[in-house]
């Protein structure tokens, strides 16, 4: 079957909440009429974040609705749902936190599973050549937010912080991902967390050498 690729964040940026809902419905109809299978990318963070926490982010609310509509359509589907993004070219709450460590809330034992945007891109490519697998979460093993802040605070401040996003800050609750299903279905893997942190910091303009310190 031919493949219909859907980038949820791209649709949101082009159309907004009302437009995303309508575009999703239209794409589902296109897939149904054309006997297409769907490979879709969302960025609605992890299911462990409550709807109340997400309510201040129209984009993430709309993306969760997109996920629901795609899953209920009963079509051949692989839906990729990454955790907070890091890596060169990434955006969102994790990149903002790295640029300004300890600038947001910290739950006492909060942990989160970030994922390198390059590994998400690899999963998208794999999904094009693998059978439909339903909803798959993408993320590395969790790290504590306190440890993340300590690591980032040891590096010189980024001279040009990234543009602010509308995502909820990290630290409002655990965001832990089990990527076992993605590993089995797609051969998904994540590069070492230390490498992702170091290369994201270098991309942000921090004075980080190649030693991992």
């Amino acid at each position: 079957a031919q493949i219909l690729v859907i980038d949820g964040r791209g649709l949101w940026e082009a159309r907004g909440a009302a437009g995303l809902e309508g575009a999703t419905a239209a794409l589902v109809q296109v897939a149904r009429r054309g006997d297409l299978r769907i490979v879709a990318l969302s960025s609605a963070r992890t299911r462990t974040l409550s709807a109340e926490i997400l309510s201040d982010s129209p984009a993430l609310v709309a993306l969760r609705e997109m996920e629901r509509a795609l899953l209920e359509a009963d079509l051949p589907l692989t839906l990729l749902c990454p955790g907070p993004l890091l890596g060169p070219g990434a955006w969102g709450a994790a990149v903002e936190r790295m640029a300004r460590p300890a600038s947001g809330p910290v739950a006492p034992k909060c942990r989160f599973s970030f994922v390198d945007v390059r590994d998400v891109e690899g999963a998208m490519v794999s999904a094009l050549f693998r059978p439909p697998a339903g909803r798959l979460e993408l993320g590395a093993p969790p790290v504590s937010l306190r440890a993340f802040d300590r690591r980032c605070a040891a590096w010189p401040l980024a001279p040009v912080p990234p543009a602010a996003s509308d995502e909820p800050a990290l630290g409002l609750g655990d965001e832990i991902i089990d990527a076992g299903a993605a590993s089995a279905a797609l051969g998904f893997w994540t590069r070492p967390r230390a490498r992702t942190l170091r290369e994201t910091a270098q991309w942000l303009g921090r004075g980080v050498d190649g030693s991992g310190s």
Side-chain angles (χ1 to χ4, degrees):
Q2 292 183 307
I3 302 170
L4 176 62
V5 178
I6 299 175
D7 175 6
R9 173 62 72 164
L11 278 177
W12 159 260
E13 291 175 351
R15 298 175 178 268
L20 179 57
E21 181 180 1
T24 301
L27 289 169
V28 164
Q29 291 304 314
V30 168
R32 184 167 282 122
R33 288 196 299 267
D35 192 26
L36 308 178
R37 69 181 180 92
I38 297 174
V39 174
L41 176 66
S42 181
S43 55
R45 302 272 285 271
T46 61
R47 283 185 169 178
T48 53
L49 277 187
S50 69
E52 181 179 1
I53 289 174
L54 293 184
S55 62
D56 289 334
S57 172
L60 296 190
V61 171
L63 286 167
R64 279 211 176 170
E65 285 301 306
M66 180 198 78
E67 290 183 17
R68 180 191 58 77
L70 291 175
L71 291 167
E72 292 179 354
D74 195 27
L75 291 168
L77 168 70
T78 300
L79 174 60
L80 302 179
C81 302
L85 297 172
L86 286 174
W91 69 94
V95 176
E96 289 184 17
R97 186 84 181 202
M98 174 169 273
R100 308 175 185 87
S103 62
V106 179
K109 297 181 179 179
C110 181
R111 298 187 300 158
F112 75 105
S113 299
F114 64 76
V115 61
D116 195 301
V117 67
R118 295 166 292 183
D119 297 334
V120 175
E121 292 167 355
M124 279 290 289
V125 172
S126 294
L128 298 175
F129 298 97
R130 303 289 183 102
R135 187 182 191 277
L136 301 174
E137 292 193 343
L138 308 177
V143 61
S144 79
L145 191 53
R146 292 190 186 279
F148 179 82
D149 282 345
R150 283 197 300 269
R151 181 67 176 269
C152 296
W155 292 324
L157 290 175
V160 183
S165 75
D166 67 347
E167 290 190 13
L170 296 180
L172 298 174
D174 285 337
E175 295 189 65
I176 298 174
I177 285 175
D178 180 357
S183 177
L186 304 178
F188 175 72
W189 62 277
T190 59
R191 66 199 68 210
R193 291 180 304 188
R195 178 182 169 189
T196 293
L197 289 172
R198 183 177 67 250
E199 292 177 351
T200 307
Q202 290 170 334
W203 170 66
L204 284 171
R206 287 174 175 266
V208 182
D209 62 26
S211 66
S213 59

